[in-house]
Amino acid sequence: MKVKKVLCSEALTGFYMDDKEAIKSGAKSDGFVYKGAPVTPGFRSIRQPGVAVSVMFILEDGHMVYGDCAVAQYAASGGREVPNTAAALIKVIEKYVSPYFEGMDIKEFKSTAEKFDRYEFDGERLPASIRYGVTQAILEAVAYEQKLTMCEVILNEYNLPVDLTPVRINAQSGDERYTNVDKMILKKVGMMPHGLINNVEEKLGTDGQIFLDWVKWVTKRISEIGEPDYKPVMRYDVYGCMGKAFNNDLDKVGEYLIKVADACAPYEVFVEMPVDMKSNEKQLEAMKYLRKYLDDAGCRLKLIIDEYANTYEEIVEWVDAKGADMVQVKTIDLGGINNIVEADLYCKAHGVLAYQGGTCNQTDKAAIVCANLAVATKPFAMAGTPGMGVDEGVMIVSNEQERLLAILKAKQEGNI
């Protein structure tokens, strides 16, 4: 199917972009915003609205397919893309993407996406956010021409088996750490509650007690209002705050992680980014040290790497080094969505769990596309995005997954 025209429109994301370093350094909340000046280049304020760009392919028969470009909530953190404006992204798209695709006959997703993702325009690859959105449009264009779901295109092109097992969905609490936990329990989300523990003084505690008390409350709350068969996997994201609280004394961090594991019993628990050592090499060394510390103590709390595994190549490095029990495949940071597929599959093939994550600061369309990828590749879990309200993100991803599973099951049974 030929692309007749490429159009763009400004879009809103499901959340905001936050200056993580300013928040971790103690920026005080003021309602929904933060007091003080940003410290990370590219930010105009510590919290600023998320922006996106919809890239639309008008096909030769008049049908429109599209994908959404955006950056993560914690833009510019750990090597990620800096915040940008929709207007600036549109200028880049109109200069490079439009002439690249207009008149192109798109027949296959994998080869088309890989070529675009790696293509150097004036000597450089395009920003990851643009590659992310444009490759979504490529996938939808192929699915439209072949009269298949996007999931089926991935299954066919990557020679994957059809697996009707649902992928557990991870929900994020944001700062509503009590109300949103209740929502997650009522909706029986498979992986929770995230926590957004991005500040030592207010959310972790200088001795870790604030966070530990909340973890105990979450465990107790599941037994109080959850159905008897509800057994979620616990995932807490602490953005390096444990290391900050304990001055990166890894033995003290390890000792504290054991307390967290005890507080989560009987549930399986993952902790993401317990420390942030500010370089890939030091981060890898620290995570491996913590894994050995926990193993020696007989503690099976599992560790997740997020920052420093932003690209497919970095994910491969972490997987090969066995630097973490789980890698967050940060969908929005990988550029072309072909890299999400490859990363999910590489983790699984090499004995490391894949959490197909993403960001609250993306769009409904990006979340739907990512759900199609997850149903095809079957990571350990996928993010319920966008937003931090639980209901909306979980609804979008869960409903898309259920639709896909119903279609795949009907086709297996010969009913359609």
Side-chain angles (χ1 to χ4, degrees), residues 110-158:
K110 186 174 184 291
S111 61
T112 308
E114 287 177 348
K115 183 178 179 181
F116 172 73
D117 182 61
R118 298 167 184 168
Y119 196 86
E120 294 188 356
F121 296 85
D122 292 339
E124 294 184 353
R125 296 167 77 183
L126 293 181
S129 56
I130 293 177
R131 290 182 277 129
Y132 181 61
V134 171
T135 51
Q136 295 169 35
I138 294 171
L139 179 56
E140 189 179 17
V142 174
Y144 171 70
E145 182 177 46
Q146 296 181 1
K147 295 181 172 57
L148 297 172
T149 63
M150 291 181 282
C151 172
E152 290 170 290
V153 172
I154 299 300
L155 288 168
N156 293 341
E157 293 197 17
Y158 289 85

Side-chain angles (χ1 to χ4, degrees), residues 216-394:
K216 292 176 181 177
W217 177 85
V218 173
T219 303
K220 184 169 180 277
R221 193 62 170 165
I222 294 170
S223 64
E224 287 176 343
I225 69 171
E227 295 184 18
D229 64 342
Y230 180 50
K231 306 294 180 187
V233 174
M234 313 305 290
R235 169 183 168 252
Y236 293 100
D237 193 350
V238 299
Y239 302 93
C241 283
M242 291 178 180
K244 189 174 180 63
F246 299 111
N247 297 312
N248 284 336
D249 183 325
L250 297 182
D251 288 337
K252 288 183 178 179
V253 173
E255 181 182 352
Y256 181 70
L257 285 169
I258 293 171
K259 293 179 181 179
V260 172
D262 291 342
C264 290
Y267 304 107
E268 184 177 13
V269 58
F270 292 79
V271 171
E272 185 169 315
M273 293 293 292
V275 297
D276 184 348
M277 307 303 288
K278 302 304 180 185
S279 78
N280 186 67
E281 182 180 358
K282 290 181 179 179
Q283 186 74 12
L284 180 59
E285 182 182 324
M287 294 284 278
K288 293 181 77 170
Y289 183 94
L290 289 173
R291 179 69 270 152
K292 185 177 186 305
Y293 185 100
L294 296 173
D295 286 341
D296 290 345
C299 177
R300 285 311 303 159
L301 177 146
K302 296 181 174 66
L303 303 174
I304 309 175
I305 186 65
D306 181 6
E307 283 96 341
Y308 309 106
N310 295 319
T311 67
Y312 174 74
E313 292 77 15
E314 289 172 348
I315 289 172
V316 168
E317 179 184 351
W318 274 84
V319 169
D320 289 349
K322 295 293 189 288
D325 301 288
M326 175 182 283
V327 172
Q328 178 172 174
V329 177
K330 196 82 170 183
T331 56
I332 203 163
D333 292 330
L334 266 66
I337 62 171
N338 50 293
N339 296 310
I340 301 170
V341 176
E342 298 285 3
D344 284 348
L345 297 177
Y346 193 87
C347 289
K348 290 177 65 179
H350 293 82
V352 174
L353 298 173
Y355 163 48
Q356 187 186 291
T359 179
C360 54
N361 188 49
Q362 65 174 5
T363 69
D364 53 341
K365 179 55 179 278
I368 285 172
V369 173
C370 288
N372 276 260
L373 306 184
V375 172
T377 62
K378 289 295 183 292
F380 181 85
M382 63 173 161
T385 63
M388 286 284 196
V390 177
D391 298 312
E392 301 84 355
V394 170

